[in-house]
Amino acid sequence: MSKYQLDHLAQLESEAIHILREVAGQFERPALLFSGGKDSITLVHLALKAFRPGKFPFPLVHIDTGHNFQEALDFRDQLAAEIGERLIVRKVEDTIRAKGLTEPKGKFASRNALQTFTLLDTIKEFAFDACIGGARRDEEKARAKERIFSVRDEFGQWDPKLQRPELWNIYNGKIHKGENVRVFPISNWTELDIWNYIRREQIALPSIYFSHEREVIEHESQLVAYSPFIRIDEADVIVKRRVRYRTVGDMTCTAAVTSEASSIDDIIREITISKTSERGETRIDDRVSEAAMEDRKKNGYF
Amino acid sequence: MDILRFITAGSVDDGKSTLIGRLLYDSKNILTDQLEAIERQTKNKEQGTIDLALLTDGLRAEREQGITIDVAYKYFATPKRKFIIADAPGHIQYTRNMITGASNAQLIIILIDARSGVVEQTRRHSIIASLLKIPHVVVAVNKMDLVDYSQEVFFDIVNDYASVARSLDLPDVTFIPVSALDGDNIVESSKNIPWYEGAPLLELLERVELQNDVNLDNARFPVQYVIRPQTEALHDYRGYAGKITSGIYRKGEQVTVWPSGLSSTIQSIEIDGKEVAEAFTPQSAVLRLSDDIDNSRGDVIVPQSQQPTVDKEVETLIAWLDQKPLAVGNRYLLQHNSRVVPAVVQEIAYKLDVNTLERALGPQQVLLNEVVKIKLKTAAPLVYDSYAENKHNGSAILVDETSLVTVGAALLQ
């Protein structure tokens, strides 16, 4: 490569930093949605590059479903403390109580849909006008259609048929009162880009991304962690397996993969030869229908 | 490894989505669960075939109607390159979506149905490629299986298209005969087309030289955000954060800050908190100046020897993207890099027919998907270059002041 040439990771990095700075420049009260997963950890790393030696022009916000992995929560608190940035946590549990919401029922009842209530309440509470998230377009086909600056109405709804044209690298963040914008700086990254970047930048991750022993039940060929949040039926057999997590969502809707990968290099090797997509392998919530994500987004989900 | 962003354009049944599906499938970039999903959805299940087009249509309405409405982005990689595909609709009604997808493209694949040859849509897509100055064009003559892989048919189309390319000044055009449905010349060279000696499509995409398209002249640095830690240790720190949209910046260089016109020197360039001697496009960086001048978001820092145009009047081509017509006297917000200024339409010079390139003088108003040349007057000076010379500093959007929607794509002249 010539002297004045950037490789793909450096190009993606610069694009993401540009987007983060646009958020800082265009909005009064932005927030960065942080879950303790690898994509939002990467976002925090990019924000450090975008704004240091200054402080972040936004707090980190976590919508805690109460079904999270403890390792991810610990990592979240530790990272926020380490970088000295403000962390706001709002709990789905509290929304359920305050609003008298009905908990979903069933074997792997997920609070995924209820999360949207807490998110919208939190947006209202702090009057956030922009929420930065770590969604990527390669994850899912509705996400493949979403703009980098995605305008949501006061109900948080995405209207895929009325998206603003998004040209060059000019992002139009103008909104009416009550609306907000979801911003996706790593839209153009793939799962493999994220892992390669994590390796290059030596970004620390929660331990559950690496091989560890865990009690799981096998359900329709997916391994689900044994936890108080899932219903164990008589037919279920709890077994110990060496697993790692490819994505980190709720314990109720994220499946583990059998793995001995104990380093980033091992993980990259496994992903490179994997024949299953990230969400296909690990997300139980996407299996509902072909348009599961599109429908959730239309209702205010990320 | 670098990145190639490309767009595919073709008429409704030219097989655009099938081509992308084939590219992903044959290069082993489709995973088992994704394949199973489209197998489930394939409606006309003939023995052993699946509808690869389903891979790209992401919305329920698109799957129901079997058409592409909005741009979908698809990602794949080979050991040589990462690819970002903008799969854009081809119908005239969705021209604005195509322009969205084309604005960041470094290459366009124009699909031509071998049975119909160069048609109106081919011309329109080529005109858009030429207006947006997409540096590389690949013309894929598809459905060769339906014309018995005829060399004569292919070269007739090549000759027809060559005259289109000449009239539009398209700089780099490559032709390739393919059958997306069967995978001929997509990833593997086709045995059915022995007379074609060029590389299959994927290899062409891997080989296109991109570094020559990077604009290393006329450095431009729009300030996005000012970093001021205001801590005891960094009391006087004032860093201008932004992305270098073109050119190279060097420590110690004399610069002008527009629109104030004040001069200063680059005291330091920082990337990721570390000082560097120089930085270049498309890097994001922090510039610090030796003089205490009050810069803010929207200002542009340029080397003293490489000055842009600074003016409150600008002529521009506009691709109109909104249902509400554009008319003389209308006011919009012009967003140009990090700068937003009110602008008034002073004059509509002509309307460009995107099918023929003919100019119609003095139109009263401009409708959705039309392209016009207009004159704008802005409330504050614009710091710009012509789109032809500098894509990033020559492009802007118009925003409706009341709906706040992006209504126009501006190519400054």
Side-chain angles (χ1 to χ4, degrees), chain A residues 138-156:
Chain A
D138 78 319
E139 283 179 79
E140 204 281 331
K141 51 187 176 294
R143 287 195 163 156
K145 295 256 163 184
E146 196 164 8
R147 303 284 190 253
I148 289 174
F149 270 41
S150 179
V151 179
R152 302 296 182 92
D153 67 11
E154 52 189 320
F155 300 99

Side-chain angles (χ1 to χ4, degrees), chain A:
Chain A
M1 279 206 287
S2 91
K3 189 177 169 195
Y4 298 115
Q5 197 169 357
L6 295 182
D7 73 0
H8 71 296
L9 293 178
Q11 285 185 44
L12 292 170
E13 176 190 68
S14 180
E15 179 181 82
I17 292 172
H18 174 255
I19 294 163
L20 286 168
R21 287 171 172 168
E22 277 307 289
V23 174
Q26 291 196 33
F27 296 93
E28 305 268 325
R29 299 174 74 94
L32 189 150
L33 296 186
F34 182 72
S35 67
K38 67 178 191 319
D39 296 321
S40 61
I41 292 170
T42 300
L43 276 185
V44 168
H45 185 82
L46 290 162
L48 288 168
K49 293 201 179 212
F51 301 111
R52 287 295 186 252
K55 297 284 270 184
F56 287 3
F58 39 67
L60 311 180
V61 173
H62 184 221
I63 305 301
D64 184 352
T65 58
H67 292 171
N68 292 95
F69 288 92
Q70 192 55 44
E71 294 91 334
L73 295 178
D74 293 345
F75 188 93
R76 171 198 76 186
D77 295 340
Q78 193 192 324
L79 181 66
E82 223 173 78
I83 60 175
E85 295 290 347
R86 181 173 172 217
L87 171 70
I88 295 168
V89 178
R90 286 294 176 271
K91 298 190 155 131
V92 173
E93 197 79 50
D94 296 336
T95 318
I96 292 174
R97 220 171 302 133
K99 288 203 150 83
L101 302 178
T102 308
E103 286 256 25
K105 295 183 181 64
K107 188 164 181 59
F108 301 115
S110 157
R111 284 179 170 172
N112 217 324
L114 296 184
Q115 208 176 345
T116 303
F117 288 86
T118 315
L119 174 62
L120 296 181
D121 283 354
T122 310
I123 288 172
K124 215 167 163 190
E125 179 187 350
F126 294 94
F128 290 135
D129 48 7
C131 294
I132 304 161
R136 310 187 321 263
R137 284 174 177 155
D138 78 319
E139 283 179 79
E140 204 281 331
K141 51 187 176 294
R143 287 195 163 156
K145 295 256 163 184
E146 196 164 8
R147 303 284 190 253
I148 289 174
F149 270 41
S150 179
V151 179
R152 302 296 182 92
D153 67 11
E154 52 189 320
F155 300 99
Q157 299 179 102
W158 179 52
D159 186 346
K161 286 187 185 149
L162 276 181
Q163 297 200 87
R164 292 176 177 176
E166 191 161 79
L167 299 124
W168 300 289
N169 54 357
I170 308 172
Y171 306 103
N172 173 6
K174 297 226 157 25
I175 47 171
H176 295 103
K177 211 172 156 41
E179 293 176 335
N180 66 84
V181 178
R182 307 287 167 86
V183 179
F184 306 111
I186 54 170
S187 286
N188 286 324
W189 300 46
T190 62
E191 182 191 19
L192 204 53
D193 294 332
I194 292 283
W195 283 107
N196 280 315
Y197 187 71
I198 286 170
R199 171 164 65 181
R200 175 185 292 190
E201 299 288 314
Q202 301 183 308
I203 300 172
L205 292 180
S207 57
I208 55 172
Y209 279 108
F210 302 94
S211 177
H212 59 282
E213 194 172 75
R214 186 177 284 271
E215 288 188 323
V216 294
I217 62 166
E218 201 167 323
H219 183 81
E220 289 176 3
S221 76
Q222 289 190 313
L223 301 177
V224 186
Y226 171 61
S227 76
F229 313 126
I230 60 168
R231 195 183 74 209
I232 306 294
D233 299 323
E234 262 178 48
D236 290 326
V237 186
I238 300 166
V239 290
K240 277 192 179 170
R241 289 282 177 78
R242 299 283 301 170
V243 297
R244 68 175 168 84
Y245 282 88
R246 201 168 159 185
T247 66
V248 171
D250 277 5
M251 295 190 82
T252 53
C253 63
T254 314
V257 297
T258 309
S259 170
E260 291 292 335
S262 58
S263 70
I264 305 276
D265 284 336
D266 293 344
I267 292 171
I268 289 174
R269 216 169 296 131
E270 281 190 6
I271 292 170
T272 312
I273 57 168
S274 169
K275 293 203 161 33
T276 323
S277 76
E278 188 181 45
R279 292 195 81 89
E281 186 164 58
T282 65
R283 289 304 172 99
I284 300 165
D285 48 337
D286 279 357
R287 294 199 159 184
V288 182
S289 80
E290 273 310 314
M293 177 66 87
E294 181 180 341
D295 293 343
R296 273 184 285 151
K297 275 183 174 287
K298 284 177 179 165
N299 288 322
Y301 185 74
F302 231 85

Side-chain angles (χ1 to χ4, degrees), chain A residues 2-8 11-12 14-15 17-18 21-22 24-26 49-55 57 137-138 141-142 144-145 147 158 160-161 163-172 174-176 187-190 193 201 274-277 280-281 290-291 294-295, chain B residues 1 3 5 31-34 37 40-41 58-63 70-73 75 82 99-100 103-104 132 211 216 224-225 227 229 234 237 241-243 248 250 272 278 280 282-286 297 321 333 335 387 392 395-397 399 402-406 410-411:
Chain A
S2 91
K3 189 177 169 195
Y4 298 115
Q5 197 169 357
L6 295 182
D7 73 0
H8 71 296
Q11 285 185 44
L12 292 170
S14 180
E15 179 181 82
I17 292 172
H18 174 255
R21 287 171 172 168
E22 277 307 289
Q26 291 196 33
K49 293 201 179 212
F51 301 111
R52 287 295 186 252
K55 297 284 270 184
R137 284 174 177 155
D138 78 319
K141 51 187 176 294
K145 295 256 163 184
R147 303 284 190 253
W158 179 52
K161 286 187 185 149
Q163 297 200 87
R164 292 176 177 176
E166 191 161 79
L167 299 124
W168 300 289
N169 54 357
I170 308 172
Y171 306 103
N172 173 6
K174 297 226 157 25
I175 47 171
H176 295 103
S187 286
N188 286 324
W189 300 46
T190 62
D193 294 332
E201 299 288 314
S274 169
K275 293 203 161 33
T276 323
S277 76
E281 186 164 58
E290 273 310 314
E294 181 180 341
D295 293 343
Chain B
M1 186 149 109
I3 303 179
R5 297 173 197 245
L31 299 162
T32 321
D33 57 315
Q34 295 165 329
R40 278 198 300 276
Q41 291 172 69
L59 302 173
R60 193 196 296 272
E62 293 176 319
R63 285 193 294 277
D70 206 337
V71 189
Y73 294 90
Y75 302 82
K82 172 187 166 94
I99 289 175
T100 296
S103 67
N104 285 314
L132 289 170
Q211 188 55 20
L216 291 174
Q224 289 182 272
Y225 184 75
I227 296 176
L234 295 164
Y237 185 101
K243 184 173 172 179
I248 304 164
R250 296 184 176 89
D272 193 14
E278 57 178 13
F280 55 93
Q283 285 181 313
S284 285
V286 174
R297 178 175 165 83
L321 312 170
L333 294 172
Q335 186 172 348
Y387 186 81
H392 284 298
S395 51
I397 58 171
V399 175
T402 54
S403 72
L404 306 181
V405 166
T406 305
L411 311 163

Side-chain angles (χ1 to χ4, degrees), chain B residues 2-150:
Chain B
D2 60 359
I3 303 179
L4 172 68
R5 297 173 197 245
F6 69 92
I7 181 170
T8 48
S11 314
V12 175
D13 285 320
D14 282 353
K16 191 169 48 64
S17 295
T18 308
L19 179 97
I20 295 172
R22 179 57 72 181
L23 207 49
L24 296 170
Y25 184 73
D26 287 358
S27 62
K28 312 221 167 4
N29 276 282
I30 298 179
L31 299 162
T32 321
D33 57 315
Q34 295 165 329
L35 208 56
E36 282 166 7
I38 60 169
E39 272 168 1
R40 278 198 300 276
Q41 291 172 69
T42 299
K43 284 190 187 115
N44 307 315
K45 287 192 182 94
E46 290 167 43
Q47 205 66 35
T49 63
I50 50 162
D51 188 353
L52 289 171
L54 290 169
L55 273 171
T56 54
D57 290 331
L59 302 173
R60 193 196 296 272
E62 293 176 319
R63 285 193 294 277
E64 281 166 5
Q65 296 169 40
I67 54 159
T68 311
I69 296 169
D70 206 337
V71 189
Y73 294 90
K74 281 276 156 196
Y75 302 82
F76 74 105
T78 67
K80 295 202 176 81
R81 211 160 239 178
K82 172 187 166 94
F83 297 95
I84 302 179
I85 314 173
D87 178 24
H91 195 268
I92 187 151
Q93 170 190 358
Y94 298 117
T95 298
R96 64 180 206 145
N97 307 67
M98 185 187 161
I99 289 175
T100 296
S103 67
N104 285 314
Q106 297 156 288
L107 179 146
I108 182 168
I109 298 178
I110 294 179
L111 269 135
I112 296 180
D113 187 328
R115 296 168 303 175
S116 16
V118 175
V119 295
E120 190 176 272
Q121 300 222 34
T122 318
R123 285 203 187 81
R124 187 174 72 249
H125 297 152
S126 305
I127 286 170
I128 289 170
S130 135
L131 288 173
L132 289 170
K133 306 246 176 269
I134 300 177
H136 310 279
V137 178
V138 171
V139 177
V141 180
N142 191 23
K143 305 195 182 180
M144 287 300 292
D145 51 320
L146 300 181
V147 295
D148 295 328
Y149 308 102
S150 159

